[in-house]
Amino acid sequence: MVMSDIRPVLSALLRNRTGAILVSLQVAIALAVLVNAIYIVKQRVDLIGRPTGMDVANMFTVVSSGFTQDHDRLATARNDLAWLRAQPGVVAATRTNAIPLSGGGSSTTIGSQPDTPNDKNVAINYFEVDEGGLETFGVKLAAGRNFRAEEIMPPDPNSTKAPPTAIITKSVARALFGSEDAVGKVVYDSLNRPTTIVGVIDHMHGSWVTWDKVDQVALLPVTPSFGGDNLYIVRTAPGLRDETLRKVEEYLSTSDSTRMIRGVRPLEYYRDRSYLSDRNMAIFLVSITALLAGVTALGIFALATFNVSIRTRQIGTRRAIGARRADIVRYFLVENWLVTTGGVLLGVALAFGVGYWLSTQYELPRLDLYYLLAGVLLLWALGQAAAWQPSRRAARISPSVATRTV
Amino acid sequence: MLAMRHISKVYRTELIETHALRDFSLDVASGEFVAVTGPSGSGKTTFLNVAGLLETFDTGSYALDGVDVNDLSDDARSRLRNEKIGFIFQSFNLIPDLDIFDNVDVPLRYRRMKAAERKERITSALDIVGLGSRAHHMPSQLSGGQQQRVAIARAIAGDPKFLLADEPTGNLDSLMARQVMDLLEQINEMGTTIVLVTHDPELARRAHRNVQVIDGQVSDYKPYEARNVPVAATAIA
Ligand SMILES: Nc1ncnc2c1ncn2[C@@H]1O[C@H](COP(=O)(O)OP(=O)(O)OP(=O)(O)O)[C@@H](O)[C@H]1O
Ligand SMILES: [Mg+2]
């Protein structure tokens, strides 16, 4: 298609521009919204899909709530964990104080020196676990070692003692010691009590997925002491989670009459709940975008159909004086392409405007050019697809229309 | 130039079958100016549409300029229309969104002609019809007679061998009708074969030969050889 073939199509189009301008505007708005929406969706999807470092798909939680005077929490935990760990299909289990990715958990600050100034302190999200914790979470140890059974501190409701050892994520290690090896180093809590780092985890997400330091996690060798509940996390062999979960709930519910079992849920349940708003936002934006694309396609289709129908005689005449069917199809596709392109040009400007506004209002990164390019290509394709059927219909108009219509 | 033998054309609707042409045979020699007359509904336009390859026919045979058009593809028919036939319609059929120049340009573009040659042809065709100075007017800015002259320019710009006109003066008053007729005569004199459908006996009389169509047939068809007036001689006269 050379430029000179476009000129008569364009000049005819410019003489009937009302419909074309409206559809162009629609295309422009569609492009601006589409590109920005897809960009935001992409970010949400990336956020939801970030690696957690854990074997999320094969983990589940169990809460044991004692409700009688003679309920012995520690003994129950010992029995439960022994039973859990003995089950075929269970890879590991631990008691802990909080559920990763759930939105609930504990944090504190530590420093690499005694009396570290506040702004040099590093925030950590800690999980109190036993020697099974590392394997239960399924996280990878990058350096150092796991906790030993004898290291696990008894319950200490008033935190009178700091744990002697800790395992931290690489992210915490970097924040504390830069590129130095963290294993063997000592960290200090706000009371200047020392703790020795014995292991470094490659990567692990903590409790709060919206926190920018979600990967600043520490495992502490401590028996949790809050409330009257025991919280267990269990990890199964791949594919055995649901089966094991049912079996565990059934057994633990009847094994001890001084407590009740609740909160038996896959870890995915908590993760999905935490990302619910991101997911809803993504679904909402995708729906809006699809709707907008549909309405735009409909607008293009309607304009093309209208243009074909008011030009029945003209099309017949063109056929009579030598246009092939393909020439007619091409005429309408070119005309439609001009309309779409007008909208796309305006839309690119608009998309940048909207993108810039969003980036200042919501601290989103600025719009990526690839998205704009993809959006332009998509709308071009959409326009041609929407105009295809009316163009084909135009090509089927008989040349005899030229003599038969008065 | 045109040889139709035993052509039949039936229009079928849900209710009725109309035999628009039946056993229709006609010869038109190269250079002839033939006027086709006949009552309304007799099949004149149908004949013209078949002759101009705007419609297909059911049975019979038709050769245009020596080419049997029976089995031509739609694209080939388009090409023949574009290169060999010029059409003039009762209601002009100019494209309202294009100026005069671009209107005359339409068939030339379909012929993939170079811009320089197109321009030359458009200018000379507009000069022939006396509208050289109106090239950049829109059709709506011209009178009916002028519009029909633009249509004639469009029909002859591609230098067709064959001009088909269906009541080209039907929408014009008698003065403008005569101007158009003058123009057609002038074009015929330059060698273009013309078939003109008209209701106007005065115009028909100006053609070399009158053909009357009645009820889908040429009323007094004689094979070309049997006619006493040598057509070529008439055409040259
Ligand atoms: N598309 C069609 N469908 C059905 N019947 C048709 C169609 N076109 C024409 N006819 C019928 O075919 C017959 C011949 O029509 P045609 O238009 O050729 O007549 P005509 O001689 O040109 O008449 P007029 O002088 O009124 O223009 C008529 O009876 C007409 O009703
Ligand atoms: Mg007619």
Side-chain angles (χ1 to χ4, degrees):
Chain A
M1 176 61 45
V2 278
M3 215 45 218
S4 71
D5 286 338
I6 293 176
R7 191 195 55 80
V9 183
L10 182 62
S11 60
L13 181 64
L14 291 177
R15 294 194 175 269
N16 299 288
R17 52 186 161 234
T18 316
I21 286 173
L22 288 177
V23 171
S24 285
L25 280 175
Q26 207 179 352
V27 168
I29 292 167
L31 180 68
V33 172
L34 188 130
V35 166
N36 283 287
I38 295 301
Y39 191 48
I40 293 171
V41 167
K42 167 74 167 55
Q43 285 166 355
R44 299 292 158 124
V45 168
D46 284 352
L47 189 77
I48 295 171
R50 286 178 302 176
T52 62
M54 290 177 285
D55 186 15
V56 176
N58 296 307
M59 290 160 72
F60 67 91
T61 61
V62 181
V63 176
S64 161
S65 297
F67 56 82
T68 61
Q69 285 289 323
D70 56 345
H71 175 72
D72 182 344
R73 210 154 62 87
L74 290 177
T76 307
R78 255 193 318 276
N79 291 336
D80 288 347
L81 282 170
W83 183 83
L84 282 169
R85 285 168 179 160
Q87 297 314 301
V90 170
V91 172
T94 188
R95 265 192 83 187
T96 185
N97 63 326
I99 304 166
L101 313 180
S102 70
S106 311
S107 74
T108 183
T109 57
I110 53 176
S112 57
Q113 308 285 332
D115 295 318
T116 305
N118 265 340
D119 58 334
K120 291 272 168 17
N121 272 328
V122 173
I124 53 164
N125 174 199
Y126 63 88
F127 293 87
E128 298 169 339
V129 295
D130 59 27
E131 70 280 10
L134 204 63
E135 211 185 346
T136 303
F137 292 145
V139 290
K140 217 170 89 219
L141 206 53
R145 62 167 177 85
N146 189 10
F147 298 130
R148 300 187 183 105
E150 64 271 18
E151 256 169 355
I152 312 303
M153 289 169 61
D156 181 11
N158 303 318
S159 298
T160 52
K161 280 187 284 183
T165 56
I167 297 173
I168 57 175
T169 55
K170 265 189 183 167
S171 167
V172 177
R174 236 189 333 268
L176 287 169
F177 308 111
S179 55
E180 285 170 51
D181 186 1
V183 175
K185 291 237 160 49
V186 176
V187 295
Y188 300 88
D189 67 9
S190 52
L191 301 173
N192 280 336
R193 296 179 303 191
T195 295
T196 305
I197 306 298
V198 295
V200 175
I201 294 169
D202 201 40
H203 174 70
M204 176 180 170
H205 273 185
S207 296
W208 308 290
V209 298
T210 51
W211 192 30
D212 60 346
K213 300 182 178 85
V214 63
D215 58 351
Q216 291 192 1
V217 175
L219 304 186
L220 305 177
V222 174
T223 305
S225 54
F226 69 88
D229 291 350
N230 292 338
L231 166 64
Y232 311 122
I233 295 183
V234 182
R235 177 173 163 224
T236 69
L240 296 180
R241 183 194 67 193
D242 294 344
E243 181 186 318
T244 312
L245 177 151
R246 272 192 301 276
K247 199 174 72 182
V248 165
E249 180 164 32
E250 206 175 284
Y251 173 78
L252 291 186
S253 298
T254 52
S255 68
D256 182 343
S257 57
T258 65
R259 55 95 180 271
M260 56 182 271
I261 293 295
R262 56 193 182 83
V264 186
R265 291 199 181 102
L267 190 63
E268 281 171 347
Y269 161 84
Y270 299 96
R271 182 200 60 191
D272 293 349
R273 200 181 57 181
S274 291
Y275 284 113
L276 193 63
S277 66
D278 294 292
R279 232 183 34 183
N280 285 346
M281 174 64 113
I283 290 170
F284 171 74
L285 285 176
V286 165
S287 317
I288 287 288
T289 306
L291 198 73
L292 197 63
V295 168
T296 305
L298 212 64
I300 293 168
F301 174 81
L303 179 70
T305 301
F306 175 74
N307 280 341
V308 169
S309 74
I310 59 163
R311 294 188 197 144
T312 305
R313 175 134 72 113
Q314 175 186 144
I315 294 162
T317 305
R318 284 178 181 274
R319 291 278 283 133
I321 62 181
R324 293 167 305 152
R325 289 206 171 109
D327 293 321
I328 301 297
V329 170
R330 192 163 61 177
Y331 182 96
F332 284 97
L333 290 184
V334 167
E335 180 176 77
N336 168 267
W337 181 80
L338 288 169
V339 172
T340 318
T341 301
V344 159
L345 292 179
L346 187 64
V348 165
L350 207 60
F352 266 120
V354 172
Y356 179 76
W357 180 77
L358 283 176
S359 73
T360 54
Q361 292 288 305
Y362 299 103
E363 291 178 17
L364 288 168
R366 205 79 65 74
L367 189 61
D368 197 323
L369 272 180
Y370 283 113
Y371 284 81
L372 205 55
L373 189 69
V376 168
L377 293 178
L378 189 78
L379 276 165
W380 265 336
L382 188 77
Q384 294 291 287
W388 177 248
Q389 195 269 344
S391 305
R392 291 301 307 239
R393 195 137 44 83
R396 282 198 299 271
I397 290 173
S398 164
S400 68
V401 162
T403 52
R404 295 286 185 199
T405 332
V406 186
Chain B
M1 183 75 233
L2 174 153
M4 281 185 175
R5 292 287 181 280
H6 313 295
I7 298 271
S8 72
K9 171 80 185 172
V10 183
Y11 291 111
R12 287 188 180 82
T13 60
E14 278 167 30
L15 294 174
I16 49 160
E17 284 188 355
T18 310
H19 292 261
L21 295 178
R22 45 180 152 195
D23 199 19
F24 185 102
S25 298
L26 181 68
D27 294 278
V28 176
S30 184
E32 253 195 311
F33 190 156
V34 176
V36 176
T37 57
S40 183
S42 59
K44 303 181 298 296
T45 297
T46 307
F47 151 68
L48 211 69
N49 280 357
V50 170
L53 308 182
L54 301 180
E55 283 180 61
T56 55
F57 49 92
D58 298 316
T59 59
S61 70
Y62 171 29
L64 174 66
D65 197 22
V67 179
D68 185 350
V69 303
N70 246 340
D71 302 316
L72 291 181
S73 70
D74 194 75
D75 280 2
R77 292 164 68 88
S78 297
R79 233 182 97 178
L80 268 187
R81 288 197 295 269
N82 184 257
E83 292 177 356
K84 297 203 169 166
I85 306 171
F87 288 95
I88 302 165
F89 308 99
Q90 177 170 355
S91 33
F92 326 137
N93 290 16
L94 297 180
I95 292 167
D97 306 321
L98 297 177
D99 67 14
I100 302 316
F101 186 94
D102 285 343
N103 260 285
V104 179
D105 196 16
V106 171
L108 305 183
R109 279 178 182 275
Y110 290 134
R111 209 187 285 194
R112 313 267 181 277
M113 220 176 251
K114 290 252 156 43
E117 190 186 351
R118 294 200 324 257
K119 190 165 184 211
E120 199 183 302
R121 281 174 179 253
I122 296 163
T123 313
S124 92
L126 285 175
D127 282 342
I128 288 173
V129 301
L131 290 170
S133 59
R134 305 290 186 112
H136 295 292
H137 281 64
M138 297 305 286
S140 58
Q141 296 169 314
L142 301 184
S143 73
Q146 287 169 328
Q147 289 188 43
Q148 193 60 303
R149 276 149 61 199
V150 174
I152 292 171
R154 178 177 67 185
I156 63 171
D159 217 359
K161 292 191 164 173
F162 197 33
L163 213 58
L164 295 176
D166 193 358
E167 317 244 16
T169 59
N171 287 2
L172 302 177
D173 66 29
S174 58
L175 177 69
M176 290 200 285
R178 229 167 304 139
Q179 281 177 0
V180 163
M181 196 62 192
D182 291 344
L183 203 50
L184 291 181
E185 274 183 337
Q186 188 190 330
I187 291 163
N188 175 244
E189 273 158 26
M190 294 190 288
T192 309
T193 311
I194 296 182
V195 173
L196 163 76
V197 169
T198 182
H199 270 125
D200 186 336
E202 193 194 324
L203 295 184
R205 236 174 285 133
R206 292 173 62 175
H208 303 151
R209 178 155 68 99
N210 280 8
V211 170
Q212 225 201 351
V213 177
I214 294 174
D215 215 2
Q217 276 186 312
V218 176
S219 66
D220 54 349
Y221 172 73
K222 296 187 202 73
Y224 177 61
E225 299 77 21
R227 271 191 277 135
N228 43 17
V229 185
V231 175
T234 326
I236 291 159

